[in-house]
Amino acid sequence: MPRFRLERPLRWQDLYREAELYKAAVRVYTKPLFQWRKALSTSTDGKTLYDLAGHGLRSLDALHRALAHERFAFRPAVALHYNFNGKHRTLYISPWEERIVDLLLYRLVNQKLHGWFSPNSYAYRDRTHGLDRCQARIAQVLRAAGGPIYLVKRDIADYFASVNHEILLHQLAGLVERDDYLFGLLAQRVRFRFRDASEEHCAEMGIPFGAAIACLLANIYLTGLDRQIEEIPGLDYFRYADDLLVLSAQRDVALAARVRLEQALADLRLRMKPSHSADLVVTASDSVSTAVRTTSDQPSPLGRGCPDLSGRVRGDVPPDANPPSDPEFIPTHDFRHLGLLFRAGGGVALSRDKRRKIQNLFRFAFRRGRRRWRKVTDPEARAQAVVAIALETLEKGVRNVAILDYYLKHVDDEAQLRLLDRWLAEEVLSLVFGGHKKGHFRRISFAQLRAMGLPSLVHRRRLIRRRKIESPFFIWQKQQAIRAFRGTVARRSRARGAAAAFSPRPEAAARECP
């Protein structure tokens, strides 16, 4: 595939348009539309989005003049430290004007570099790329494979915080005129300033995680690596942000790709996560055992094997089995990538952690609604109350932007979904009669539960495929609107204030903001 080359280095005056600034501003204004509390966040200047909206078009006009006359400079951000499920992350929160310019730079430069980026890079791209297309192409490659396929999977450790500034600036110099104002703006975001514990620092490594421009810089930094891997014939390459995957039907090609991949990462001074690295050969042979045996107490980081609903891994063979030996590639039937379990032949199922996440959606819903069913003594009436909670959970899909519908849309293993349907029925009966016992179905049958309205994931998946289900965006919109005003006292006045802040006239927010 021929490489796309820029006709000439990018320049600020060639890219910047006032209309693009207002488009970015609208995006920033509407991002917290359904959660107005996000608009109250502040940075080093102590101002909220309502403060910016209070001056309305005058603020944006001043920002436009500063950019048009090349006088705008980024102020320091606030470094906030978070722990996401045991993973430490630092988010850099900039003032609201800086967020608008950040998004403006991301949109302008990303659009110009769209053809320069690798076609095998799927994250932080336009609508023609994305997670859905990446997952669909991986399944397509597996379906087209007529035999074993060799797999090399790598994940970069703490990627955003590990980017080397000298290497990144050298890469930017090949894309942007070094003496131009655009290069100066991008250089400020590479060597960004931030405040932590009332002290100001200048970053010596990494890019500002939490800023829109960081997504653009992350793709630029790894595009050279993409080119090196793509030069190897006979392989399929996929990169989603810092998740790297190579598939090939030829063992030698996969070995060559692994060597070049690891060398390219070392040249970029990046480290790999050992727990997320894998060298596998995916085959449908019956003599193949799972690469790593997983149990309910020690889950595999790659989700190999298809766990049933009791925690056992289906398809495991006894330790004395004699699978094909390979000193470099471990044989397996399936592998986990991007939250899904891909199987030999192209089948797609839920990975272990995603299956548990769906189960927890129901478990937590039953726990939150226990006042509705605990006092009911009649078994059938209690079962009806619990089924109603399950139905509400599935229809609303309120967690993580309709997470249920998202995963049901991508999987095609209806046998796994039937097991989930059976687990849900058992969970309902355990709350009615106590304990998971098969004898409960003699008292209230599965057919009776379905007649009460017990939802089916298999049926819902078919409705999603036929586009008979409401868009997850509208489901999410309703839930966020309810959650945003939950616990408030003056609900009506605050609703008016939130609406005014995002009205066509931003000046209205100064009069009625919460």
Side-chain angles (χ1 to χ4, degrees), residues 88-89 155-163 242 270-271 273:
H88 176 266
R89 292 288 184 269
D155 195 357
I156 302 173
D158 204 10
Y159 173 50
F160 279 75
S162 304
V163 171
D242 58 347
L270 298 173
R271 298 178 294 104
K273 291 181 184 177

Side-chain angles (χ1 to χ4, degrees), residues 166-188:
E166 297 300 328
I167 296 176
L168 180 56
L169 288 173
H170 177 72
Q171 293 172 339
L172 289 174
L175 301 171
V176 183
E177 189 72 43
R178 181 177 285 273
D179 298 330
D180 190 71
Y181 179 61
L182 177 60
F183 186 86
L185 287 176
L186 294 174
Q188 291 180 47

Side-chain angles (χ1 to χ4, degrees), residues 166-300:
E166 297 300 328
I167 296 176
L168 180 56
L169 288 173
H170 177 72
Q171 293 172 339
L172 289 174
L175 301 171
V176 183
E177 189 72 43
R178 181 177 285 273
D179 298 330
D180 190 71
Y181 179 61
L182 177 60
F183 186 86
L185 287 176
L186 294 174
Q188 291 180 47
R189 301 313 285 144
V190 174
R191 294 195 172 104
F192 61 97
R193 296 182 296 150
F194 65 94
R195 289 182 183 174
D196 190 1
S198 73
E199 296 181 358
E200 185 172 321
H201 307 272
C202 183
E204 299 179 355
M205 180 180 292
I207 48 182
F209 185 70
I213 196 65
C215 302
L216 170 69
L217 298 177
N219 268 346
I220 292 175
Y221 196 72
L222 291 178
T223 299
L225 179 147
D226 299 336
R227 300 298 186 199
Q228 293 186 50
I229 304 302
E230 291 165 353
E231 289 176 350
I232 304 176
L235 59 78
D236 292 280
Y237 171 63
F238 305 89
R239 180 173 69 82
Y240 191 85
D242 58 347
D243 287 316
L244 313 171
L245 180 68
V246 174
L247 300 175
S248 177
Q250 306 174 42
R251 183 178 183 277
D252 294 341
V253 171
L255 287 173
R258 183 180 70 177
V259 172
R260 188 172 297 187
L261 180 62
E262 293 178 350
Q263 183 59 51
L265 290 174
D267 293 340
L268 292 173
R269 303 179 188 178
L270 298 173
R271 298 178 294 104
M272 294 174 290
K273 291 181 184 177
S275 61
H276 287 64
S277 299
D279 300 313
L280 310 173
V281 53
V282 184
T283 176
S285 173
D286 293 336
S287 61
V288 176
S289 65
T290 53
V292 178
R293 298 182 183 278
T294 56
T295 65
S296 57
D297 296 329
Q298 187 179 2
S300 165

